[in-house]
Amino acid sequence: MSSLSRELVFLILQFLDEEKFKETVHKLEQESGFFFNTKYFDDAVLNGEWDDVERYLSGFTKVDDNRYSMKIFFEIRKQKYLEALDKHDRSKAVEILVKDLKVFSAFNEDLFKEITQLLTLENFRENEQLSKYGDTKSARSIMLGELKKLIEANPLFRDKLQFPSLKNSRLRTLINQSLNWQHQLCKNPRPNPDIKTLFIDHNCGQPNGARVPSPGPIMASIPKAGSFPQLGAHGPFPATPNPNPTAIAWMANPSPVLHSTVSAGAIGLTAPNSAAAILKRPRTPPTSNLAVDYQTADSEHALKRPRPLGMQDEVNNLPVNILPVAYNSQSHPQSLYSPDDLPKTVVMTLNQGSAVRSMDFHPVQQTLLLVGTSIGDIMVWELGSRERLAIKNFKVWDIGECSVGLQTVLAKETSLSVNRVMWCPDGTLFGVAYSKHIVHVYSYHGGDNLRQHLEIEAHVGGVSDLAFSHPNKQLCIITCGEDKAIKVWDAVNGSKLYTFEGHEAPVYSVCPHYKENIQFVFSTALDGKIKAWLYDNVGSRVDYDAPGHACMRMAYSADGTRLFSCGTSKDGESYIVEWNESEGAVKRTYHGVGKRSLGVVQFDTTRNRFLAAGDESMIKFWDMENVNLLTTTDADGGLPQSPYIRFNKEGTLLSVSTNENGIRILANADGLRLLHTLDNRSFDASRVASGSVVKAPTINTFGSATATTGTNVGVVDRGTSAMAIVGLNGESRCLADVKPPRVGEDSLEKAKIWKLTEINEPSQCRFLRLPDSMVAAKVSRLIYTNSGLAILALASNAVHKLWKWSKNERNLSGKATASVAPQLWQPSSGILMTNEINNTTPEDAVPCFALSKNDSYVMSASGGKISLFNMMTFKTMTTFMPPPPAATFLAFHPQDNNVIAIGMEDSSIQIYNVRVDEVKSKLKGHQKRITGLAFSHHLNVLVSSGADAQLCIWSTDKWEKQGSKFLQIPTGRVPSPLAETRVQFHQDQIHLLVVHETQIAIYDVSKFECLRQWSPQEPGGLITHATYSCDSQSIYTSFEDGSVGIFTPTLRLKCRISPSAYLQPSNPNSRVYPVVIAAHPSEPSQFALGLTDGGVYVLEPLEAEGKWGTMPPAEIGAGPSIVSGIVGSDRPSRSFCSSVQSTCCRSESRQVELFRIDELRRSFVLELDFERVAK
């Protein structure tokens, strides 16, 4: 049954229940098998209605389906048998024994004999095990508790224990909406149509040829209109019940203590006693969220139709695919990629020198390829320049730490083969599994800079495979080997965390994954056994056979929703299959894989659409939705029987091993453009480890109709020789973009007169530390209310604090000010606005909040669910979206307070409609978590930023990706792996302030061009936050040394506030500095700071001054610029300026000297050299 039909059954169930057709409801539940009504089941058990109990169960499972089902039926029949004995009804007891319990004798004959012997006892309580049996009522209650645990653990009940969250009378509402659509299509719609039947489409007749005016909504005329909500009548923030997680069977503990509740998202694989019992009665196909069923890979937005005039809001909010329109029955989104998108064009061949055994593309830098060979060499290739950046030969780092067994092996074998190479998720580490005992982990710092990180003697014998995972938010390495074990290691210190034992043959591969909040690992062995493990020491949750008992690798699709495996059996038969995640059985087997006498077929997945395998000396491709072979390529020939293959992350490049110890690189059109961009350019790999980029390839503006490349690559022009221009504020420009300036005496005179304003003493400004009697915790987020009457802070302990100013003689406006202390406000109830933390430590959580335009609500999260608070009462109105992934940034849509953009820990962005409790779109384009979101209603775009130092632009009409760029990280600076990137629009809604620990920058979003960039010269002067003033004429910037810089909109520093001016000395050993800064919404010169010690300060200039500093002199020249400065709390006024001696430069034998000024703080030099940068 299709997913739409399945949802229709739920709507009918709701309708029948509301209309009180109780028996019909339960009959439909049983016959459809879609929803197991636990309340009805509980009542039937407690009332002893055993025939009804078993009849209802029969719609979902049979006795011999699996061990959980068998246990459920046994407990029910045993209870019925004991009750008959308790009533001394021996004939009834014998009948139950023969008809109901005898079926279990085949599985446990001794137990059946023991039950039979109860007939010989006058009172069965004489049996020691039944001595505590009480009365019938209590016995039924105890048994019901056991049945609930068994049902929750049974895979056949997965996704069937929770009824979907539906608004009241949802079916009636949909019918009304359909009638509304029909009525809007009438040629002559009547104002008050008389609708008497639903059996035929509605049509308004034309009365006597008269023309009828355009109608309004027709809801009022529908029968029973009062019994269900009318369209558009729902409140802005309805409290929506959150679905409870349901059980997944394969995660259930095989011991008597069962895991009663676990995530519904994980794979439902049973742990049967035999392979034949894996799947006996598949009942329901896997379903997916209809709101994202038919989507593109980037935006995943629901398809939409134009809204006819007069339609209510809820009609417009409905995705098309939930209307009664015929669709193909499929359970996965259909990608828009075509076979032409497959990389099949050979673009280069790399000579390795030895046979390739494993390859992996860098997760961030799409053209960086890691290779391991048969003689133990590892190499890093940059495909754009065809350059081998680094090579490491195998050697043991510390022979003294090796076991005697390993030392014996090394005495005989000087080199070992590489079995697997793998990058960690952010590309800062990679692991190498060798054919004997050893795992090496390197840290990668760009170029040829590979550093030894960990050497682990992981297994006895060969290490077959390795992978990285994040259980409990801890980066780990998972290995498996010939010793039949799987082991989990701490990726930081190399300590062993877990050992999984249970395979009876050498373990061939591991595949870690997570669904919802369940982290697990698949393992496959040479004997074709597949097991699954949780991160504990309990044992495997799954034990079943691969098709043909093949030795297989398992892999998920890029979006993590589909599971595939590929391998070869002992008799040479190869298999590529997709698994049914809901039942743990093979869903489809792909045809076209050849038979082989040696080796195991290798495969990979890409773009959530295609499978590829190296087979029969060629590369074969399949569409995931079609079992038949799609196409093949021999990659210009010379491939081994089973070549190794690997896609890059975007699927634009494909590497394949060759017979001649080489690697052939294939590309599609996007891959060719990517490589062409890098051609004849030098590669600065120092940016790779942090995911940052020096200069991205040209991306068309988001308004352009031409296609854009999907990948940004960090490169530096090799041929461009742009001269540096160093000026006031240490500004430097690239002459590729700047014409030679004209310098006049006026500008020179202004340069001599202007001085940077330095505020070093408390007497030079007004400041106020806000009173706080609550527990001190670092201020993570800070914002003024839109009215300017209060300040709201979110601390790292998930508690919100609200300070309100009162209107009085000293503060006539009642707005926030540094002159009058506010009140730390709490409602009379005394409750606090506290986020759920979901067992997340403050260090791991990423707090975020967003304030509604009317200051009535605040949406907030601290690593747990998102909470909606009432700002007046502090009450939690609703919570939603439990992690993982956790929300990391929130932003209200500027034109619809019901729509909110939610940045997630998993790097996606969800466009969520609070009113209808529905995710409208899911945007994917970042590689790390989202750290910033900003809407522009003028350009109709959303700009997102992430910890990957990348900016993405999305249209807000169709939620499509329009372009992306990486930040230009200053040379020599390596940001922290999860450094936040924030974005904020200027008042003009075109220019964008971008904030990163290494820089602040201004972008023109209409052209998607970086106009200016400022970065501190000293590595210690990290930027912690920055924000525009309310009039966008100043940029307030806080630093890790405690200072605050105030910049012009063109990033010219005009004022610097030393920490000594506002920070009161406390513990000299404590390091206190601002981590967040907020600007007053109507006072351009006022801002607030949130500190690491929990303090919040409000700062204003002296009343006599009225502003922070004076404007620097007009700039000379124009165009994009890069500005640098020095940060230091104890430096003189030159702190943000560079003192540079003049330089004479030559260009084509022509020398030009512009001018020279030697005094500090009043000098700048313009240097022109069109061949090289003068230093």
Side-chain angles (χ1 to χ4, degrees):
M1 183 178 289
S2 70
S3 56
L4 288 177
S5 299
R6 185 174 185 269
E7 295 203 351
L8 181 58
V9 171
F10 282 114
L11 294 174
I12 295 171
L13 284 173
Q14 183 196 44
F15 171 81
L16 293 174
D17 183 68
E18 290 173 341
E19 297 298 319
K20 309 301 182 184
F21 296 109
K22 295 302 183 183
E23 291 185 8
T24 310
V25 168
H26 304 314
K27 186 67 175 176
L28 181 56
E29 289 167 353
Q30 177 221 326
E31 289 188 346
S32 68
F34 289 156
F35 172 62
F36 185 84
N37 191 322
T38 53
K39 186 178 185 307
Y40 170 73
F41 180 79
D42 293 353
D43 292 341
V45 169
L46 293 176
N47 293 330
E49 299 167 352
W50 305 120
D51 291 339
D52 291 342
V53 168
E54 289 209 18
R55 188 183 304 110
Y56 190 71
L57 275 173
S58 67
F60 302 89
T61 185
K62 295 290 187 291
V63 174
D64 58 349
D65 276 348
N66 56 46
R67 59 194 178 98
Y68 302 103
S69 299
M70 185 177 296
K71 180 70 170 172
I72 291 169
F73 281 95
F74 174 77
E75 290 295 332
I76 292 170
R77 295 174 183 182
K78 182 185 73 173
Q79 179 63 29
K80 183 166 61 170
Y81 175 67
L82 293 178
E83 289 184 13
L85 290 177
D86 206 26
K87 297 176 181 177
H88 302 287
D89 190 347
R90 298 299 177 107
S91 60
K92 181 67 173 178
V94 170
E95 180 184 353
I96 295 171
L97 187 67
V98 173
K99 291 178 60 177
D100 298 331
L101 290 172
K102 188 173 178 56
V103 67
F104 301 106
S105 63
F107 302 96
N108 193 330
E109 187 174 356
D110 292 337
L111 179 62
F112 180 75
K113 288 180 180 179
E114 187 174 356
I115 292 175
T116 304
Q117 290 175 356
L118 296 178
L119 287 169
T120 63
L121 302 177
E122 182 65 23
N123 186 340
F124 63 82
R125 294 176 181 82
E126 295 173 13
N127 182 289
E128 183 178 351
Q129 297 183 21
L130 297 172
S131 59
K132 295 183 179 180
Y133 184 95
D135 58 16
T136 299
K137 184 177 180 181
S138 61
R140 290 176 179 174
S141 297
I142 294 171
M143 181 197 66
L144 180 59
E146 293 299 317
L147 292 179
K148 286 182 176 181
K149 293 178 182 178
L150 290 167
I151 289 170
E152 289 171 349
N154 195 322
L156 297 177
F157 291 82
R158 191 171 76 88
D159 294 334
K160 299 177 182 179
L161 300 178
Q162 186 71 29
F163 198 87
S165 178
L166 302 176
K167 296 176 181 176
N168 293 337
S169 303
R170 180 62 180 164
L171 184 59
R172 288 184 179 275
T173 302
L174 290 174
I175 292 173
N176 287 348
Q177 293 169 355
S178 174
L179 293 172
N180 238 346
W181 277 99
Q182 295 173 29
H183 187 58
Q184 297 300 323
L185 297 176
C186 290
K187 293 182 179 179
N188 300 285
R190 295 177 181 176
N192 297 297
D194 184 18
I195 299 175
K196 298 180 179 179
T197 180
L198 299 176
F199 293 161
I200 59 174
D201 288 347
H202 161 71
N203 184 34
C204 290
Q206 185 172 348
N208 301 322
R211 181 168 295 180
V212 181
S214 178
I218 60 174
M219 293 300 112
S221 61
I222 305 299
K224 291 194 175 183
S227 64
F228 58 94
Q230 300 212 359
L231 302 183
H234 308 295
F237 297 108
T240 309
N242 294 297
N244 295 322
T246 57
I248 55 172
W250 73 268
M251 290 300 178
N253 191 331
S255 65
V257 181
L258 296 174
H259 297 271
S260 58
T261 56
V262 281
S263 166
I267 307 168
L269 303 182
T270 64
N273 295 325
S274 67
I278 292 177
L279 178 64
K280 294 188 178 180
R281 295 179 60 255
R283 299 193 55 83
T284 59
T287 59
S288 56
N289 187 347
L290 286 174
V292 294
D293 245 353
Y294 305 94
Q295 303 158 343
T296 65
D298 266 342
S299 66
E300 295 191 7
H301 61 274
L303 300 175
K304 296 181 180 179
R305 285 184 180 175
R307 174 170 140 189
L309 185 64
M311 284 303 296
Q312 299 282 350
D313 289 340
E314 188 167 334
V315 176
N316 187 49
N317 287 332
L318 283 171
V320 166
N321 59 358
I322 70 170
L323 297 175
V325 180
Y327 288 98
N328 294 329
S329 295
Q330 60 181 38
S331 57
H332 296 281
Q334 185 64 31
S335 170
L336 298 181
Y337 295 117
S338 72
D340 294 336
D341 292 312
L342 290 169
K344 293 187 291 183
T345 302
V346 177
V347 293
M348 70 182 74
T349 300
L350 308 174
N351 182 23
Q352 276 294 125
S354 53
V356 174
R357 293 299 307 273
S358 181
M359 299 176 288
D360 194 28
F361 279 94
H362 194 280
V364 177
Q365 175 57 42
Q366 298 285 298
T367 59
L368 204 64
L369 180 65
L370 175 65
V371 182
T373 73
S374 59
I375 62 173
D377 293 343
I378 54 171
M379 303 179 187
V380 178
W381 289 87
E382 166 47 46
L383 302 184
S385 60
R386 308 190 184 195
E387 179 184 1
R388 188 171 64 192
L389 300 177
I391 180 172
K392 292 288 184 181
N393 307 117
F394 172 77
K395 66 175 182 179
V396 175
W397 300 345
D398 190 350
I399 192 68
E401 293 295 323
C402 296
S403 66
V404 175
L406 178 55
Q407 292 185 34
T408 302
V409 170
L410 294 174
K412 299 177 182 179
E413 303 180 39
T414 56
S415 65
L416 305 181
S417 173
V418 172
N419 281 341
R420 185 75 156 177
V421 292
M422 179 72 71
W423 290 100
C424 76
D426 65 358
T428 56
L429 301 173
F430 66 81
V432 186
Y434 290 99
S435 56
K436 297 295 181 184
H437 298 253
I438 290 286
V439 167
H440 279 166
V441 181
Y442 288 87
S443 61
Y444 185 58
H445 302 270
D448 62 351
N449 191 354
L450 301 182
R451 301 179 189 175
Q452 298 175 359
H453 179 61
L454 291 174
E455 182 175 67
I456 304 172
E457 188 172 344
H459 296 271
V460 178
V463 184
S464 306
D465 197 11
L466 66 78
F468 289 89
S469 68
H470 281 91
N472 305 314
K473 298 186 178 180
Q474 176 185 14
L475 183 61
C476 294
I477 304 164
I478 304 171
T479 63
C480 64
E482 293 179 351
D483 56 3
K484 308 175 186 178
I486 301 104
K487 298 181 182 180
V488 182
W489 313 85
D490 188 309
V492 177
N493 56 34
S495 61
K496 185 168 66 177
L497 303 177
Y498 304 100
T499 298
F500 304 147
E501 295 178 325
H503 277 290
E504 298 177 357
V507 185
Y508 178 67
S509 72
V510 288
C511 176
H513 196 59
Y514 73 91
K515 292 269 186 166
E516 300 290 339
N517 58 344
I518 303 297
Q519 299 265 359
F520 54 90
V521 182
F522 280 114
S523 62
T524 66
L526 293 181
D527 60 359
K529 289 291 184 182
I530 299 176
K531 294 180 182 288
W533 317 78
L534 293 179
Y535 290 90
D536 54 31
N537 294 310
V538 175
S540 66
R541 267 46 176 203
V542 159
D543 184 3
Y544 60 96
D545 294 323
H549 294 272
C551 174
M552 311 194 92
R553 286 194 188 277
M554 306 188 83
Y556 275 87
S557 57
D559 59 7
T561 60
R562 305 177 70 171
L563 178 62
F564 302 90
S565 68
C566 174
T568 304
S569 64
K570 292 180 180 179
D571 59 5
E573 294 291 342
S574 295
Y575 302 85
I576 300 180
V577 301
E578 180 180 4
W579 293 90
N580 186 321
E581 290 187 298
S582 65
E583 301 292 350
V586 172
K587 179 178 180 179
R588 55 168 62 94
T589 301
Y590 296 90
H591 307 315
V593 192
K595 190 169 183 177
R596 70 204 61 249
S597 59
L598 184 67
V600 177
V601 65
Q602 304 294 318
F603 89 124
D604 202 1
T605 68
T606 186
R607 297 198 173 203
N608 300 317
R609 173 68 185 273
F610 300 112
L611 297 168
D615 182 45
E616 296 181 315
S617 300
M618 66 179 70
I619 306 170
K620 299 179 178 181
F621 299 94
W622 290 263
D623 187 313
M624 290 180 178
E625 301 296 336
N626 192 327
V627 298
N628 296 315
L629 191 63
L630 177 64
T631 186
T632 65
T633 180
D634 64 357
D636 291 351
L639 304 186
Q641 174 70 12
S642 300
Y644 293 88
I645 64 171
R646 192 69 169 171
F647 286 103
N648 70 347
K649 187 174 182 179
E650 298 295 333
T652 57
L653 300 175
L654 174 63
S655 61
V656 57
S657 61
T658 69
N659 276 325
E660 302 299 325
N661 297 336
I663 300 171
R664 205 155 284 158
I665 304 299
L666 291 77
N668 63 9
D670 287 338
L672 290 170
R673 283 193 291 269
L674 173 61
L675 294 173
H676 178 70
T677 304
L678 291 171
D679 198 19
N680 296 324
R681 297 186 177 191
S682 62
F683 170 65
D684 186 354
S686 63
R687 310 291 186 264
V688 172
S690 63
S692 60
V693 166
V694 177
K695 182 179 179 182
T698 302
I699 298 179
N700 296 336
T701 61
F702 60 85
S704 171
T706 59
T708 63
T709 57
T711 308
N712 299 314
V713 183
V715 294
V716 179
D717 266 326
R718 189 180 280 166
T720 304
S721 59
M723 166 52 58
I725 302 178
V726 182
L728 282 172
N729 289 335
E731 178 181 340
S732 62
R733 292 200 186 127
C734 177
L735 287 182
D737 303 313
V738 182
K739 297 180 179 179
R742 298 177 60 89
V743 182
E745 293 181 1
D746 291 343
S747 60
L748 198 61
E749 187 64 26
K750 290 180 181 179
K752 294 180 180 179
I753 297 172
W754 180 83
K755 287 182 60 176
L756 173 71
T757 301
E758 293 268 1
I759 297 178
N760 300 312
E761 303 293 335
S763 60
Q764 294 178 280
C765 67
R766 291 182 293 163
F767 68 91
L768 172 69
R769 180 172 177 129
L770 305 189
D772 189 354
S773 58
M774 299 171 63
V775 176
K778 182 181 77 172
V779 179
S780 300
R781 296 291 181 263
L782 189 69
I783 192 173
Y784 282 86
T785 58
N786 294 291
S787 63
L789 304 176
I791 288 178
L792 178 67
L794 173 58
S796 59
N797 61 0
V799 176
H800 298 75
K801 300 177 183 180
L802 180 65
W803 288 272
K804 287 186 177 182
W805 275 261
S806 301
K807 184 182 294 187
N808 52 43
E809 294 180 356
R810 296 182 58 197
N811 185 17
L812 297 178
S813 67
K815 293 184 177 180
T817 175
S819 302
V820 178
Q823 176 190 3
L824 180 60
W825 195 83
Q826 278 186 272
S828 56
S829 62
I831 63 174
L832 299 175
M833 289 190 291
T834 307
N835 286 327
E836 295 186 17
I837 57 175
N838 195 41
N839 299 321
T840 305
T841 62
E843 294 77 17
D844 294 331
V846 182
C848 55
F849 63 19
L851 192 62
S852 63
K853 286 182 288 188
N854 59 5
D855 295 335
S856 298
Y857 308 99
V858 62
M859 196 89 72
S860 183
S862 296
K865 294 180 181 179
I866 300 174
S867 300
L868 180 67
F869 295 102
N870 185 306
M871 286 281 284
M872 293 297 295
T873 64
F874 283 15
K875 291 182 179 180
T876 304
M877 299 182 65
T878 186
T879 59
F880 55 95
M881 286 196 181
T888 55
F889 203 90
L890 303 168
F892 279 102
H893 193 288
Q895 295 165 318
D896 188 346
N897 223 27
N898 290 313
V899 175
I900 187 166
I902 305 174
M904 310 299 285
E905 178 74 29
D906 67 353
S907 78
S908 67
I909 303 165
Q910 298 195 20
I911 308 302
Y912 179 72
N913 190 308
V914 184
R915 180 170 60 82
V916 297
D917 186 26
E918 184 177 354
V919 175
K920 293 297 183 183
S921 302
K922 188 173 183 181
L923 316 181
K924 291 185 177 180
H926 289 274
Q927 281 96 36
K928 294 184 180 180
R929 67 188 179 203
I930 305 301
T931 57
L933 295 168
F935 284 96
S936 169
H937 57 77
H938 176 75
L939 299 174
N940 292 323
V941 298
L942 168 68
V943 177
S944 62
S945 59
D948 55 0
Q950 184 183 190
L951 304 177
C952 293
I953 295 183
W954 315 85
S955 67
T956 55
D957 51 355
K958 296 183 179 179
W959 298 112
E960 293 177 343
K961 187 177 179 181
Q962 302 291 356
S964 62
K965 274 192 177 182
F966 285 90
L967 301 188
Q968 301 176 25
I969 303 299
T971 304
R973 300 297 295 272
V974 179
S976 55
L978 293 176
E980 292 188 349
T981 306
R982 298 294 187 86
V983 287
Q984 181 189 9
F985 270 103
H986 186 279
Q987 267 190 342
D988 63 12
Q989 293 286 293
I990 296 175
H991 292 92
L992 182 77
L993 172 64
V994 179
V995 185
H996 188 262
E997 65 177 31
T998 64
Q999 63 185 272
I1000 52 176
I1002 304 296
Y1003 282 72
D1004 183 336
V1005 177
S1006 64
K1007 302 175 182 177
F1008 206 5
E1009 175 186 9
C1010 181
L1011 303 179
R1012 293 178 176 274
Q1013 176 184 320
W1014 185 95
S1015 62
Q1017 284 186 347
E1018 293 192 349
L1022 296 180
I1023 298 169
T1024 59
H1025 201 214
T1027 186
Y1028 274 121
S1029 61
C1030 62
D1031 60 0
S1032 297
Q1033 295 306 301
S1034 298
I1035 298 173
Y1036 299 117
T1037 308
S1038 57
F1039 295 88
E1040 205 172 52
D1041 66 351
S1043 62
V1044 178
I1046 302 171
F1047 294 80
T1048 69
T1050 56
L1051 301 187
R1052 310 288 301 283
L1053 184 77
K1054 61 179 180 178
C1055 180
R1056 177 186 172 280
I1057 303 174
S1058 168
S1060 59
Y1062 70 93
L1063 280 180
Q1064 300 169 349
S1066 53
N1067 183 359
N1069 296 322
S1070 63
R1071 186 162 169 263
V1072 179
Y1073 59 90
V1075 289
V1076 64
I1077 191 166
H1080 194 285
S1082 57
E1083 298 292 338
S1085 296
Q1086 183 186 137
F1087 63 90
L1089 300 172
L1091 274 59
T1092 52
D1093 67 350
V1096 175
Y1097 282 81
V1098 174
L1099 281 82
E1100 293 180 283
L1102 296 175
E1103 290 182 346
E1105 300 289 339
K1107 58 183 179 180
W1108 299 106
T1110 58
M1111 294 292 290
E1115 299 179 87
I1116 301 171
S1121 66
I1122 298 178
V1123 187
S1124 60
I1126 303 172
V1127 180
S1129 60
D1130 57 351
R1131 296 185 178 271
S1133 59
R1134 65 175 179 176
S1135 296
F1136 287 77
C1137 306
S1138 295
S1139 172
V1140 184
Q1141 299 296 320
S1142 67
T1143 305
C1144 296
C1145 305
R1146 297 183 179 273
S1147 174
E1148 299 178 357
S1149 72
R1150 181 170 59 89
Q1151 180 174 331
V1152 180
E1153 182 172 7
L1154 298 176
F1155 52 84
R1156 184 174 189 170
I1157 305 173
D1158 287 326
E1159 287 88 354
L1160 290 173
R1161 297 179 296 139
R1162 296 181 295 175
S1163 63
F1164 64 96
V1165 178
L1166 299 175
E1167 302 173 334
L1168 302 179
D1169 187 340
F1170 293 96
E1171 295 180 355
R1172 62 185 178 81
V1173 175
K1175 295 184 179 180

